Amino acid sequence: MNESSATLWTTPLHSIQGILVFLSSLYVGGNTVIPRVGVLDVSQFWTICEADKVSWMSMPANQVSEVYQYTKSNSPTVSSLDFVRSCPGFLPKESISGMESVFKTSVLESYGPPEASGFATGNLETERKAGTFGKPVAVSAVLPSNAAGVAGEIASVIVVDSVS
């Protein structure tokens, strides 16, 4: 991201994710596009992206899926995004490659509990594993010993600040 970056703000400001998206753009000197009615209308997503030169997205998994389903069904002109970040929520592992094909860019999953940091783990474009939230970013993330770490098992995640 840099000063020519722009994102479409789809997460409410009262959520930590909304604040992080806004601050990310502000930090690099980029732009944040706010939808006219303040709510994402998937039928207008690509029109807004093209008109406002949106270059990256960060939105909850359900919104990523809605944009994907709309795009797949309606075949609008897809503008160029540098990446799509999904946070919070899981995307179906089997859908990610289809999303990347339709969006013509990488779809990166991440995780961030609001009570810890809002952004605790993430997949990088250079190192990612579909169906996971990636590796810890500036924190330590640990599964408690009562969680066996079996795929599909519900478990707690402990996030500890590791930045001094």
Side-chain angles (χ1 to χ4, degrees):
M1 296 176 11
N2 57 42
E3 64 278 349
S4 66
S5 298
T7 189
L8 178 60
W9 198 358
T10 65
T11 310
L13 180 58
H14 66 266
S15 80
I16 190 71
Q17 295 304 325
I19 292 168
L20 287 174
V21 167
F22 179 70
L23 289 177
S24 295
S25 280
L26 191 62
Y27 181 75
V28 299
N31 297 310
T32 301
V33 178
I34 302 171
R36 236 180 251 279
V37 293
V39 178
L40 176 66
D41 175 356
V42 295
S43 69
Q44 294 300 307
F45 178 81
W46 293 110
T47 303
I48 294 168
C49 286
E50 187 172 332
D52 293 303
K53 297 178 178 37
V54 172
S55 57
W56 66 279
M57 286 302 313
S58 181
M59 62 178 84
N62 65 314
Q63 287 183 335
V64 173
S65 294
E66 288 172 17
V67 171
Y68 170 60
Q69 290 302 326
Y70 176 82
T71 305
K72 196 168 74 166
S73 300
N74 296 285
S75 303
T77 301
V78 176
S79 60
S80 178
L81 295 173
D82 294 335
F83 66 92
V84 173
R85 176 179 166 257
S86 168
C87 186
F90 272 112
L91 293 170
K93 185 178 181 177
E94 57 280 354
S95 298
I96 293 174
S97 64
M99 290 176 176
E100 291 181 335
S101 176
V102 167
F103 294 156
K104 301 178 184 170
T105 194
S106 300
V107 175
L108 307 171
E109 296 171 283
S110 59
Y111 167 74
E115 65 278 5
S117 71
F119 183 64
T121 67
N123 278 290
L124 304 175
E125 223 172 335
T126 56
E127 184 181 345
R128 60 193 170 129
K129 185 175 181 183
T132 72
F133 288 137
K135 293 184 177 182
V137 177
V139 297
S140 295
V142 180
L143 287 174
S145 60
N146 64 344
V150 177
E153 183 178 318
I154 296 174
S156 297
V157 177
I158 299 171
V159 177
V160 181
D161 179 8
S162 63
V163 179
S164 13

